[in-house]
Amino acid sequence: MTSTRTRIARAVALMCAMSAAFASQAHAHGDAPAGPASASDSLDAPQAVIVTGTRGSNRTQFDTMAPVDVFNREDIGAVESSDLNDVLAQLVPSYVVQRLPMADGQVFVRPATLRGLSPDQTLVLVNGKRFHRSALLGARGAQAPDLAQIPVSAIKRIEVLRDGASAQYGSDAIAGVINIILDDTVGTELSVHHSQYAEGDGKANELNLKTGFAFGETGKASIFGALAKSDPTSRTRQRADAIAFQQAHPELKVPNPVQRWGQPELKSQRLGFNASMALSDNIELYGFGLYSHSDGTSDFNWRNPDTSTGAYKTSTLFPGWDLRSVYPLGFSPSYSNEQDDMQFVAGLRGRISEQLGWDVSASYGRNRIDYELANSINASMGPASPTAFYLGRLSQTEKILNANFNYELPVAALPQPVNIAFGAEARNETYGVKAGDTASWTVGPGAAVGLDANANGAPGFSDRQAGSWGQDSYAAYLDVEVPVSKALSLGGAARYEHFSEFGSTVNGKLSARYALSDSLALRGSYSTGFRAPTPGQSNTNSTNQGLDTKTLLLFTSGRLANNDPLAVLLGAQPLKPEKSKNLSLGFTWKTPAGFSGSVDVYDIKVSDRFSTSASFAVPAGVANPLRYTSVSYFTNDFDTTTRGIDIVGNHLSRIGNGKLNLTLAYNYNTTKVDGGNSTLVTNPAQRQVFEERLPRQKATISGNYELGNWSTLARVRYYGAWTDNTGNTTGDIFQRFGAMQFLDLAASYKITDTQSIRAGIDNVLDKYPDEATFQASRGLIYSRNAPYDTDGRNLYVEYKMKF
């Protein structure tokens, strides 16, 4: 504890000095005008009113009682990616997202963390309304929203509340809240984007169109669409066993490499709208919709004919059949993901009186993922096995009704009205699993003689695993903000929520802000929070295959539902909510000279954290129809303490005839396992993986200079050291990776009032991390768990037209 506090204290001193030295940032990140000011912004621009973390109608970032980052269209557009996860990773100091090549569904639904916590411990809103979860249960069973489904070109701004907010918004808001505000401006914008890595692969093309218009006397609407296609990348060496196989069989021509480590091939189409219309002087109808479809393909590990005895074994059971006749060069299964995602919201809002406003809405969200596997085999079926399989479907559906009211109570003794918000919500979520082809999960007769069962690489969902499960919840909340004086503001919130599957929970939040002057304020908050287990986490089974990096042999594991008789026999208990206690303290400043920023320290204790249990061998005499080599289940397993500091700053100034915007965002974050029954507590190696898997430090320093029709950007991204491991069933191997810095450069030119062109290079110096020697046996060069892109220099160009 002393060590962590000392490091935080040193970080505060260091980064405050950097803030002064670099004339740093908070325009984009907390407590300054919305987003890092572009050079076209006025130096004395008014502060934008925010809507996240407060239900008052007159709060700006400088006035908030908790840190809120705000990013505008210019900030978002300065990041070269159509994936919102990548955008946030470059803009938010404590946001980290991984690529995870060859990681099953996580290749396409990438896990992202805020403040080092679980992906599903951050609540995502769109236009202030809860965005549904993905159907994928990812790392440690986390089920989080997939931000990649939201088109970046449709976003007006992003507000990120870096504070616990379950008492205000409900389940999941332990780490914070990300609120995506869709564009509603009038006008049309068309952009064409192309990028490619310096290695010559990963070509990506994107077309975006947005048009906003007025209709009737009071209506306005924005319609948007995006088409994107990206080719795969490969950062791979030939596997040593593939070289040996080629030498042993010179008559064959073995592909080099036999498998690919890199980004998947991916195509996507996204559509949506955002509209509103006044029905009367006091009532407005509003709604928005998002729809996306994507499909992608990724490689799996190569199966060596000479060593993969579970697939290539011959048997008198299948006379004359040898898998070498099908795959003489071995095979790398091809894994495909087809995803449909939609969200629709409609509502009415208005005012009953000057003091009392209301908002009622209904929301429907759904995510559906279909999986396929090609270039594979179910060896236990022998010659009857197909080589391509439909693996099944996962689906997540959420329906929400809510009513919100806001009353501004005038009190003569106070400088401003007391803001009283209250409301109620009803939510239903349903999780579904559809079985795949029978051949994708069946255990054929060959299993009795040692031939691998299931679709080799990714077993399908069986009829035993298929089904549909639901959960209802009902909530009521009260949120009060009191301006005690011109200097002091106090806030309090409480929320009651009842879940049909496990009962009720009550959470609260207290917050305060004290202005030492017009340019400096202190703020802090204390809250309790929770994350409710989902129907998918509580009820579903799955089958997974892995590859041991030492033996290069497959192992098949099963993850059982907690109510499965075998799981109960092994100790499974019904899941319960994760609970948190969140303390945040900080200060924020702004000066007439263009300096602004904030420093916030936080301490987040999470108990009953959700994870996967230890692996168990299937007891003798217990039925094992899917031939699991080991089984596990989800459990409330351990407790953690996360401590850190966010420092953000901004300086906007005139240099010559142009304008310069300097920004800084820094995060130091540690998570320690405090206790529990998990292997994270009893196994030092697993504990090391959990505590060191992400960088403890992350920073971005950037400068944007605008002069006439030209605008230039220089940005340095810093990632601290982190640890990775092989994940072997036995003999796990660890490797520590050092800190990395990346330089990005970009320039844009305004051709006319309606046309512009932008070109840039990410990772200008073409830097790569240390090679992942612990994974070299599989041909992998750079760790697949890296918290940054490991594909090298990326070049891009974009043409944009407005009319």
Side-chain angles (χ1 to χ4, degrees), residues 74-75 90 106 110 131 153 185 201 239 246 257 262 311 359 487 492 507 546 588-589 619 664 672 682 707 713 733 755:
E74 288 71 25
D75 309 327
Q90 292 200 25
Q106 291 185 107
R110 298 160 58 201
F131 188 66
S153 59
T185 57
D201 58 5
R239 287 170 44 154
Q246 177 69 86
D359 184 336
N507 290 274
T588 178
W589 72 89
L664 165 72
K672 297 293 184 182
T682 60
L707 176 64
L713 170 71
I733 305 171
Q755 300 179 74

Side-chain angles (χ1 to χ4, degrees), residues 195 202-205 228-233 263-268:
S195 65
K203 294 180 182 178
N205 295 296
K229 181 182 184 300
S230 58
D231 293 340
T233 62
Q263 299 180 35
E265 179 182 4
L266 190 62
K267 293 185 293 184
S268 64

Side-chain angles (χ1 to χ4, degrees), residues 57 167 617:
S57 59

Side-chain angles (χ1 to χ4, degrees), residues 47-48 82 182 239 253 269 285 329 366 444 468 507 519 570 584 603 606 642 679 714 727-728 737 763 798:
Q47 297 218 8
S82 60
L182 299 178
R239 287 170 44 154
K253 186 173 178 57
Q269 305 88 41
L285 172 68
L329 305 177
R366 188 202 69 194
S468 179
N507 290 274
S519 59
L570 295 172
S584 177
D603 183 291
V606 186
T642 297
T679 53
N728 288 340
F737 293 89
N763 191 2
E798 181 182 60

Side-chain angles (χ1 to χ4, degrees), residues 237-249:
R237 288 198 183 102
Q238 183 67 304
R239 287 170 44 154
D241 63 332
I243 295 173
F245 179 76
Q246 177 69 86
Q247 293 172 346
H249 302 276

Side-chain angles (χ1 to χ4, degrees), residues 108-326:
F108 307 102
V109 183
R110 298 160 58 201
T113 67
L114 184 67
R115 289 185 164 178
L117 296 174
S118 176
D120 55 3
Q121 290 174 340
T122 298
L123 176 64
V124 176
L125 309 174
V126 176
N127 284 356
K129 308 299 180 181
R130 178 184 285 263
F131 188 66
H132 59 278
R133 313 175 200 274
S134 167
L136 177 71
L137 275 63
R140 298 185 180 275
Q143 188 182 0
D146 183 9
L147 288 174
Q149 301 303 317
I150 301 173
V152 172
S153 59
I155 299 173
K156 182 178 182 179
R157 71 177 188 274
I158 303 172
E159 298 181 355
V160 181
L161 170 65
R162 292 181 277 110
D163 195 32
S166 292
Q168 296 163 293
Y169 296 102
S171 178
D172 306 346
I174 290 178
V177 179
I178 298 173
N179 191 6
I180 313 298
I181 309 299
L182 299 178
D183 201 333
D184 60 354
T185 57
V186 174
T188 299
E189 182 174 294
L190 172 70
S191 66
V192 180
H193 184 99
H194 173 77
S195 65
Q196 180 177 328
Y197 285 95
E199 292 285 336
D201 58 5
K203 294 180 182 178
N205 295 296
E206 184 177 358
L207 173 66
N208 295 287
L209 176 64
K210 182 196 73 69
T211 182
F213 55 91
F215 63 92
E217 295 183 358
T218 60
K220 63 177 179 178
S222 180
I223 300 174
F224 40 84
L227 300 175
K229 181 182 184 300
S230 58
D231 293 340
T233 62
S234 179
R235 301 293 177 269
T236 315
R237 288 198 183 102
Q238 183 67 304
R239 287 170 44 154
D241 63 332
I243 295 173
F245 179 76
Q246 177 69 86
Q247 293 172 346
H249 302 276
E251 74 281 4
L252 300 177
K253 186 173 178 57
V254 179
N256 186 5
V258 290
Q259 70 183 67
R260 182 183 59 81
W261 290 95
Q263 299 180 35
E265 179 182 4
L266 190 62
K267 293 185 293 184
S268 64
Q269 305 88 41
R270 300 183 179 96
L271 301 169
F273 71 91
N274 186 29
S276 63
M277 180 178 65
L279 302 180
S280 70
D281 291 341
N282 296 313
I283 300 177
E284 182 181 54
L285 172 68
Y286 67 90
F288 68 87
L290 297 168
Y291 172 78
S292 68
H293 175 85
S294 62
D295 56 87
T297 302
S298 180
D299 289 356
F300 274 0
N301 287 292
W302 179 64
R303 274 62 172 165
N304 186 331
D306 285 353
T307 59
S308 300
T309 55
Y312 279 89
K313 183 176 183 178
T314 58
S315 170
T316 56
L317 188 64
F318 302 119
W321 183 76
D322 188 336
L323 188 56
R324 284 174 174 80
S325 64
V326 182

